[in-house]
Amino acid sequence: MARIITIVRTRNEEKRIELFCRQHDFSDLILVADGGSDDDTVKLAKTFKNVIVRKFEKEIELLSGYTRNPDWEHINFLIEWANEEKADWIVMNDCDTNPNYLLRGDARKSMEESTRPYIRAVQIFLWRDSQYFPSLSRSRGNGAWWPGIWAWKSEMRLRVFGEPPHFQFTLLDKKKAMDFNVANCLDLLPPYCQIHANWINEEETNKHVEMYRSSGLIPGMRHPTDFGGALVKR
């Protein structure tokens, strides 16, 4: 049986961490690297038997008094930890993104039966609790579903590099950007999908946009309704 380990970065995610842990219950372990939460994120995470929490203490200074854990170092910390725990497969998500019930239910089977080293899945971007942005999940070229990396065999020795808040994957051995070509990927397309639920209401969305603008991470950050395209009811 494959040893599946899910990795996640957290910082003040008390509103999301419990759902994340429940939705990734197909994992043998969930590794949480907490970047300095001052809410109940760590306490809530530790209530799950298959969760282990470690501190990730490195921070970088941004504009307007904001701080952030450096993305690529935070993720590499988790990948290396998963390797220490002898993962066969590593699953990576942010705390605001979870597999839907079909992806969750077939996750282990997909990994154990896959002959390919990478699994990609489509993200569906919700707006509030009743709508979503279809165009954010599809290729701008031909409108086909646009899956992103979700899980990989640990033997591939992936790491990431980049500048906050963006990062790219690389192969540790080859020191070059990784191309997740079709031949190497098992693509799980809708109705299998990941649900991105960060834009839950206007207040939280505006806070998110303002943080990116004021901190200098994405100075031109826009409201999702300004770039997400037409909304469709779920």
Side-chain angles (χ1 to χ4, degrees), residues 10 14 19 30 33 51 59 66 89 91 104 114 139 145 155 175 178 216:
T10 59
E14 65 179 8
L19 177 61
I30 300 172
V51 170
E59 289 185 345
Y66 286 96
W89 281 88
V91 177
R104 174 189 179 189
S114 178
S139 167
W145 289 115
E155 66 191 39
K175 303 293 185 184
M178 180 61 202

Side-chain angles (χ1 to χ4, degrees), residues 20-224:
F20 184 93
C21 293
R22 287 196 297 271
Q23 292 299 106
H24 291 83
D25 59 359
F26 56 84
S27 307
D28 296 287
L29 281 179
I30 300 172
L31 305 182
V32 177
D34 187 72
S37 294
D38 55 17
D39 63 3
D40 284 336
T41 299
V42 171
K43 177 182 177 182
L44 294 170
K46 286 182 175 179
T47 63
F48 292 84
K49 293 181 179 180
N50 65 333
V51 170
I52 305 175
V53 180
R54 284 184 182 174
K55 291 182 180 180
F56 180 80
E57 298 180 336
K58 188 165 184 178
E59 289 185 345
I60 54 175
E61 297 288 334
L62 304 174
L63 301 178
S64 303
Y66 286 96
T67 62
R68 185 179 180 89
N69 305 116
D71 298 74
W72 65 273
E73 292 181 79
H74 204 167
I75 295 168
N76 287 340
F77 175 87
L78 279 160
I79 294 173
E80 289 160 12
W81 183 11
N83 288 330
E84 290 173 15
E85 297 287 349
K86 302 189 183 307
D88 294 312
W89 281 88
I90 297 174
V91 177
M92 188 178 83
N93 258 335
D94 286 329
C95 218
D96 60 8
T97 304
N98 290 293
N100 72 344
Y101 76 100
L102 287 173
L103 183 56
R104 174 189 179 189
D106 285 346
R108 177 169 289 276
K109 179 182 178 183
S110 297
M111 292 176 207
E112 292 184 338
E113 294 182 357
S114 178
T115 59
R116 301 178 183 184
Y118 307 110
I119 296 179
R120 299 190 298 189
V122 173
Q123 278 197 49
I124 300 296
F125 293 84
L126 299 189
W127 171 242
R128 300 184 178 178
D129 61 354
S130 60
Q131 296 175 292
Y132 70 100
F133 296 99
S135 64
L136 294 183
S137 306
R138 293 184 178 275
S139 167
R140 292 179 178 84
N142 58 16
W145 289 115
W146 192 9
I149 187 69
W150 177 56
W152 64 89
K153 290 183 178 180
S154 61
E155 66 191 39
M156 302 309 294
R157 303 187 72 199
L158 291 189
R159 296 295 187 276
V160 299
F161 68 96
E163 295 294 332
H166 307 292
F167 60 85
Q168 294 176 277
F169 284 93
T170 186
L171 288 174
L172 186 61
D173 295 333
K174 296 182 179 179
K175 303 293 185 184
K176 67 178 183 180
M178 180 61 202
D179 178 19
F180 298 108
N181 60 72
V182 174
N184 288 332
C185 294
L186 170 63
D187 286 345
L188 299 178
L189 304 178
Y192 294 103
C193 66
Q194 302 181 75
I195 304 296
H196 175 277
N198 191 28
W199 304 320
I200 57 175
N201 57 50
E202 193 68 35
E203 180 183 2
E204 290 295 320
T205 301
N206 287 334
K207 284 170 60 179
H208 184 78
V209 171
E210 179 59 25
M211 182 276 291
Y212 275 104
R213 287 176 178 169
S214 298
S215 67
L217 282 170
I218 306 179
M221 183 69 178
R222 294 180 292 159
H223 192 283

